[in-house]
C-alpha cells in the first residue's frame, strides 16, 4: 500500500501543477502566452499518462506473483498473503481506473479552456483593432497577428487541397495500374493483327505476280496457236496449189 501512496502523491503533484496552469490559461492575453501555457499543460498530461502506465505495469506484476505462487506450498500464511495481494491488486486497479477517468476530465477541461481563451484573445484583438484608441505599435501587432492567423488558415486550406489532389492522383494511379494489363493485351492483339495483315499483303502481292505471269503466258499461247494455224493453212494451200498446177 505504500507503493500506491507514492503513486498517488506523484499524481497529486502533477495534477496540482496542471490545475494551476489551467487557471492561468483562462487569463492569458496573447497568442504566445496561450501556446506557452498549453505546452506546459500538455507536458503535465504526458507525465500523468506515464505515471499511470507505471501503475499499470505495477498491477501486472501482481499476476506474475500469483502465477509463481502456484508453485509454492499452500500454508495458512501463504493463503493470508495471497488474500492481501488480491486485495492490494483490486485497490490498485480501482484507483488506476479512477485516475484514468480523472485524466479524461483534465483533457476535456484543457480543450474547453484552450478554446475559450483563444476565442477571448481573438475578440480582444478585434475590439482593439476597431476601437481606434490603441497606439500604432499595438495596431501593427494586432494586424500582424491577424495576418498570421489568415496565413495559417490559408496554409491549412492549401494543405487540405493538396491532400485532396494527392488522393485523386493516387486514385488515378490505381486506375491506370489496373488498365495497364488490358492495354498490354490490346497492344499485343494489335501487333498480331498487323503481322496477319503483313502476311496477307505478301500473299496478295505474290498472287498478283502469279496472275500477271499467267496472263503473259496466255498471250504467248494464243500467239503460238495463231502462228501454228497460219503455218498449217499455208502448208495445205501449198500442197493444193502443187497438185492443181
Amino acid at each position: 500500500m505504500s507503493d500506491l501512496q507514492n503513486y498517488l502523491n506523484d499524481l497529486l503533484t502533477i495534477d496540482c501543477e496542471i490545475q494551476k496552469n489551467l487557471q492561468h490559461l483562462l487569463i492569458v492575453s496573447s497568442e504566445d502566452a496561450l501556446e506557452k501555457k498549453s505546452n506546459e499543460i500538455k507536458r503535465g498530461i504526458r507525465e500523468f499518462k506515464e505515471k499511470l502506465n507505471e501503475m499499470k505495469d505495477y498491477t501486472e506484476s501482481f499476476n506474475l506473483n500469483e502465477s509463481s505462487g502456484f508453485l509454492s506450498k499452500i500454508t495458512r500464511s501463504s493463503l493470508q498473503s495471497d488474500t492481501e495481494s488480491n486485495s492490494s491488486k483490486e485497490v490498485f486497479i480501482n484507483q488506476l481506473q479512477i485516475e484514468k477517468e480523472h485524466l479524461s476530465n483534465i483533457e476535456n477541461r484543457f480543450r474547453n479552456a484552450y478554446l475559450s481563451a483563444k476565442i477571448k484573445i481573438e475578440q480582444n484583438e478585434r475590439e482593439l483593432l476597431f476601437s481606434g484608441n490603441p497606439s500604432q505599435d499595438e495596431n501593427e501587432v494586432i494586424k500582424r497577428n491577424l495576418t498570421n492567423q489568415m496565413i495559417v488558415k490559408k496554409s491549412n486550406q492549401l494543405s487540405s487541397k493538396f491532400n485532396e489532389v494527392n488522393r485523386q492522383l493516387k486514385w488515378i494511379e490505381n486506375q491506370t495500374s489496373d488498365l495497364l494489363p488490358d492495354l498490354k493485351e490490346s497492344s499485343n492483339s494489335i501487333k498480331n493483327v498487323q503481322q496477319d495483315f503483313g502476311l496477307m499483303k505478301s500473299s496478295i502481292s505474290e498472287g498478283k505476280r502469279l496472275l500477271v505471269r499467267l496472263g503473259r503466258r496466255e498471250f504467248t499461247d494464243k500467239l503460238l496457236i495463231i502462228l501454228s494455224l497460219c503455218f498449217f493453212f499455208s502448208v495445205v494451200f501449198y500442197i493444193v496449189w502443187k497438185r492443181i498446177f
Side-chain angles (χ1 to χ4, degrees), residues 88-114:
S88 300
K89 179 182 176 182
E90 291 177 358
V91 172
F92 255 91
I93 292 174
N94 293 331
Q95 191 63 40
L96 180 62
Q97 187 64 31
I98 292 171
E99 296 300 332
K100 285 183 178 180
E101 293 176 357
H102 183 62
L103 176 62
S104 179
N105 292 329
I106 291 174
E107 290 176 342
N108 291 330
R109 287 184 57 194
F110 168 61
R111 283 192 292 268
N112 295 329
Y114 181 82

Side-chain angles (χ1 to χ4, degrees), residues 47 64 93 97 115 123 127 133 172 194 208 210 215 245:
E47 293 176 357
L64 296 175
I93 292 174
Q97 187 64 31
L115 291 175
Q123 289 176 351
E127 289 176 358
N133 295 325
I172 293 171
Q194 287 179 349
K208 184 177 180 181
L210 290 174
F245 299 104

Side-chain angles (χ1 to χ4, degrees), residues 8-21:
L8 292 179
N9 290 333
D10 294 337
L11 290 174
L12 181 61
T13 303
I14 298 171
D15 184 49
C16 290
E17 188 67 23
I18 292 173
Q19 298 300 330
K20 183 179 70 174
N21 290 325

Side-chain angles (χ1 to χ4, degrees), residues 41-57:
I41 295 171
K42 289 177 182 178
R43 185 169 59 252
I45 290 174
R46 284 196 299 270
E47 293 176 357
F48 202 95
K49 288 181 178 179
E50 290 174 358
K51 190 60 65 175
L52 290 180
N53 289 329
E54 292 179 5
M55 287 183 67
K56 183 180 178 182
D57 295 336

Side-chain angles (χ1 to χ4, degrees), residues 17-102:
E17 188 67 23
I18 292 173
Q19 298 300 330
K20 183 179 70 174
N21 290 325
L22 284 174
Q23 294 297 326
H24 291 167
L25 186 68
L26 295 173
I27 59 175
V28 294
S29 58
S30 64
E31 290 284 343
D32 294 335
L34 177 64
E35 294 300 326
K36 183 178 179 181
K37 282 296 174 186
S38 64
N39 289 330
E40 291 178 358
I41 295 171
K42 289 177 182 178
R43 185 169 59 252
I45 290 174
R46 284 196 299 270
E47 293 176 357
F48 202 95
K49 288 181 178 179
E50 290 174 358
K51 190 60 65 175
L52 290 180
N53 289 329
E54 292 179 5
M55 287 183 67
K56 183 180 178 182
D57 295 336
Y58 188 80
T59 55
E60 289 177 354
S61 66
F62 281 104
N63 295 328
L64 296 175
N65 293 330
E66 288 177 358
S67 61
S68 62
F70 284 112
L71 300 175
S72 63
K73 294 181 179 180
I74 299 175
T75 61
R76 184 174 299 176
S77 59
S78 64
L79 289 173
Q80 185 178 0
S81 61
D82 290 340
T83 304
E84 291 177 355
S85 63
N86 290 330
S87 177
S88 300
K89 179 182 176 182
E90 291 177 358
V91 172
F92 255 91
I93 292 174
N94 293 331
Q95 191 63 40
L96 180 62
Q97 187 64 31
I98 292 171
E99 296 300 332
K100 285 183 178 180
E101 293 176 357
H102 183 62

Side-chain angles (χ1 to χ4, degrees), residues 228-241:
S228 299
L229 289 174
C230 292
F231 180 74
F232 175 75
F233 286 121
S234 62
V235 170
V236 171
F237 178 75
Y238 178 75
I239 293 171
V240 172
W241 185 75

